[in-house]
Amino acid sequence: MLGLMLPTWFLSMWISNTAATSMMLPVLIAVSEQTTTMDDETESDESINHENNNDTREIQVKTIESGSPKTLVQGRNLVRHDSKHLNKGFALGVAYAANIGGIATLNGNLATLVFQAHVDKRYQDYGASYSGITYGSWMGFAFPLSILMLILAWLWLQVVFTRCSCCKTSDKERQDRMMTFVKQEYKKLGNVRFGEIEVMVIFVGLALMFLLRNIPGVGGWGDAFLDVDGESTVTDTTVAVLMATVLFILPNKLPSKWNPLTDLSGPVYTPILTWPVAEKKIAWGVILLVGGGFALADANFRFEY
């Protein structure tokens, strides 16, 4: 369960909660299906073993009088029930982790961005340049809180859905089956591609530029871009747009002239992100909905009766 919650929590720090949950949904479905399949196979193996046992008939004759077959059936149903119960815990764990990770950074949740914009505007109304809420200051406040909430959420889900079975010795055969499944799925991913390495570097650069743009009491690289009033012209939006633009420029594959193993007759240059892909994948309806809401809210503040 913690293996599903940690990646969701980390992803939700940098993208929206909905996007992080959507990315983890295929993994969640695969794990849930594998857990159910393993339980069904275990139940099937137990049934075959009972049928192949020479003493099965005698045991059944004796147990019919004592009513123990009901106990056997209930035990098998309990295994299946525990599997469904555990899958519910997996789903809730991903949902909780997405919401908890979203509060750790400013761009992890739409509400924190709205809060920052509103507070900055209120400070400007009273003559201050900005409220002092930066990416670094907010992360310094919310990141430890997010870690604490993640641990508490995981402990609570363990108590409710697994009865702390994670602290007990698990079935060796069941554990081996799960590890085999994970290794098979990992091999299907193949080797890390050149474009994936570039995206990783861009992501790390994006996070560092967010954190180091304006450190409270220290300053940052944003101080190199000041206007006539001495205020920085760089914001977090500037960093996000810059890194998104870089994705349209950097090549998806290593150029042919740099890679001797590549066929020189093939395409020489293809960017990581193309506009048809962006146009298809971007949720324009959500952007218009959120932007329209901001526009209406601003119009209500500006309108004078």
Side-chain angles (χ1 to χ4, degrees), residues 120-121 123-124 126-132 231:
D120 286 344
K121 186 176 184 305
Y123 269 73
Q124 291 173 3
Y126 287 95
S129 58
Y130 73 105
S131 63
E231 300 295 335

Side-chain angles (χ1 to χ4, degrees), residues 137-238:
S137 62
W138 178 267
M139 197 170 182
F141 156 73
F143 184 73
L145 180 63
S146 178
I147 295 178
L148 179 61
M149 293 177 62
L150 179 69
I151 296 174
L152 293 177
W154 174 70
L155 292 175
W156 174 251
L157 292 173
Q158 288 294 324
V159 172
V160 174
F161 290 97
T162 67
R163 300 296 189 268
C164 298
S165 61
C166 63
C167 301
K168 301 177 183 178
T169 303
S170 58
D171 185 8
K172 187 65 168 61
E173 183 180 359
R174 180 188 179 93
Q175 186 177 5
D176 292 340
R177 288 184 179 180
M178 182 59 73
M179 288 301 299
T180 302
F181 169 74
V182 173
K183 291 179 180 179
Q184 290 176 352
E185 295 298 319
Y186 179 75
K187 289 182 180 179
K188 292 180 181 179
L189 296 176
N191 298 326
V192 180
R193 302 178 185 87
F194 179 75
E196 294 172 345
I197 297 176
E198 288 181 303
V199 173
M200 186 182 302
V201 173
I202 293 174
F203 172 76
V204 174
L206 175 68
L208 291 177
M209 293 181 72
F210 275 148
L211 293 173
L212 303 179
R213 181 183 65 85
N214 185 10
I215 302 175
V218 179
W221 63 268
D223 296 338
F225 304 91
L226 302 178
D227 57 12
V228 292
D229 297 328
E231 300 295 335
S232 177
T233 58
V234 178
T235 63
D236 292 336
T237 305
T238 308

Side-chain angles (χ1 to χ4, degrees), residues 22-41:
S22 300
M23 292 179 63
M24 291 299 298
L25 189 59
V27 181
L28 173 64
I29 294 175
V31 172
S32 300
E33 290 179 349
Q34 182 64 19
T35 303
T36 305
T37 302
M38 289 170 54
D39 288 339
D40 292 340
E41 290 178 354

